[in-house]
Every structure is written in C-alpha cells, then in structure tokens.
Amino acid sequence: MQYYVKDRTLIIEGDFEAVSTGLNGGRARVNYLFNKQVPRTFNPPDPEEFIKEEALKIGIEETYFGLLTAVNMEYLQVIENDYLTAFITSGVSNGSEFRAKVGTINIIMISKARLSETALLGAIITATEAKGLALLEKGYTFLGTNTDAVIVTYEVDSDAGQEHDRKGEIPYAGSSTEFGKKITEAVIKGVKAGLDMRRE
C-alpha cells in the first residue's frame, strides 16, 4: 500500500478487498481508494457521475472506491495501530440531527491482516460506534452527519495476521475483539484530532 495527496485528493494505491458505504460503494476488489476534497457548496446533479469524472481527472482508470469531503486535506488524520491504518477526515460544523445539513466524517480503514466477510462488514459498525462515541465525548449531541461514509479493506497480498485463526484471517470486528479495539482507538483518536484542528 502507498498513499499520497494529489489535487486535494487522498489517493491510496494497492490490491484491496473492500467494502464501501460511499457513492459508488458495495463490495469489490479494487486497486485504488480516494477521498476527494470538494467545495462546501458542492451539489452536483449526479454525484456518482462526478465521482467517475474525478477519478479520471486524477489518473485512476482501474477499479476504485471514492469518497467526497469538504474537509481540507491539511486536516487529514492518518492513524497507524499495528496492522491497521485509518485515514480520517472530520467536519461537523453542521451536524445531522435527523435533518439535512452539510458536514462529513469519512473513514477509510486498511488492514494488513486478512479479514473475513463478517469482519469486513462488522468493522463498519464498530467504526460508526466509535465515531459516535468521539462526538459525544467532544460534547456534541449527534452521532454523525448525513453524508458520512466508511471504507473497510484488507491488503490481498499481505501475509500479516496469519496467526489469527486457522484460515489466516481475522474472523470478527466487534468492539470487544482485538481488531475492534484497534478500530475504536484509531477512529476516536482520528475524529477528535481532526475536529480539534478545525476548532470544531
């Protein structure tokens, strides 16, 4: 895996098995993940088409999952915890309390250890719980915004985590598991740090 910021976009390259709740989300094996910074007034008629166009603009022609955020990339948080790396952009100047408002917290998590299907999907829940906890601990009265998204992946060609079970994969991602605890720690740290930098 390698990552960099280009044209106000976080780009992560590798060979990933991934799930995404983003605009072009789902389950797929992808070569790129990206988080594109857009203006606060962003409101395209077709967000999915916009994602496709932006991928081509930054030179991504292979399979990918993309996210959008109004958070400046200088506030990007990269949290490394053993075999887990989390990339987090946090903005809640207009948080969602079941009303349509602008604001986004995007979380991309990459595991060097192979994840079972259950762990891939369960990690979304654990990350969302951790995001909500971080916001509550910061004094907010909401658990997220109406455009938040999560991507969870593992690196296909990594041999890390072979000790986890007989299949050489992490089976679960609940908050009480070792993997879940890493997710919780990384997300809480990243969300809080990103908001602190933005003075939110």
Side-chain angles (χ1 to χ4, degrees):
M1 174 190 71
Q2 62 175 335
Y3 65 90
Y4 51 92
V5 175
K6 173 185 176 183
D7 297 333
R8 300 183 304 168
T9 305
L10 166 67
I11 301 171
I12 307 169
E13 299 181 17
D15 185 3
F16 307 110
E17 191 66 38
V19 291
S20 171
T21 68
L23 289 170
N24 70 323
R27 166 74 188 267
R29 186 163 174 174
V30 299
N31 299 112
Y32 288 91
L33 311 166
F34 70 85
N35 191 11
K36 169 72 178 177
Q37 180 186 338
V38 295
R40 285 185 176 273
T41 55
F42 176 77
N43 188 25
D46 189 340
E48 288 190 45
E49 186 62 31
F50 178 84
I51 282 274
K52 292 178 184 178
E53 293 172 357
E54 290 305 306
L56 291 174
K57 284 181 184 177
I58 57 181
I60 296 177
E61 298 181 359
E62 297 178 68
T63 54
Y64 64 86
F65 279 138
L67 302 179
L68 303 176
T69 180
V71 175
N72 193 304
M73 281 298 142
E74 70 179 285
Y75 302 127
L76 170 69
Q77 300 298 306
V78 182
I79 311 296
E80 295 182 289
N81 189 342
D82 195 10
Y83 53 83
L84 175 69
T85 303
F87 301 84
I88 300 170
T89 50
S90 302
V92 294
S93 55
N94 293 290
S96 172
E97 296 177 276
F98 306 104
R99 298 193 292 272
K101 294 184 177 182
V102 178
T104 301
I105 298 175
N106 283 342
I107 301 169
I108 300 174
M109 295 182 294
I110 300 175
S111 171
K112 286 184 169 60
R114 186 181 182 89
L115 305 178
S116 71
E117 188 90 2
T118 301
L120 269 173
L121 298 173
I124 296 174
I125 296 174
T126 300
T128 303
E129 291 173 344
K131 173 193 67 176
L133 182 58
L135 292 172
L136 292 176
E137 290 182 352
K138 286 279 292 177
Y140 291 104
T141 58
F142 50 84
L143 301 177
T145 83
N146 61 349
T147 54
D148 293 351
V150 179
I151 294 175
V152 180
T153 79
Y154 67 83
E155 296 183 67
V156 174
D157 56 358
S158 175
D159 59 2
Q162 293 302 308
E163 72 281 3
H164 288 287
D165 75 354
R166 61 185 177 81
K167 295 180 181 178
E169 64 184 16
I170 295 175
Y172 307 112
S175 57
S176 64
T177 65
E178 176 196 337
F179 182 46
K181 289 175 182 176
K182 291 183 186 300
I183 292 170
T184 299
E185 291 171 2
V187 170
I188 289 176
K189 181 178 180 180
V191 169
K192 285 184 174 180
L195 294 176
D196 286 345
M197 289 184 71
R198 286 167 53 89
R199 298 182 181 179
E200 292 184 339

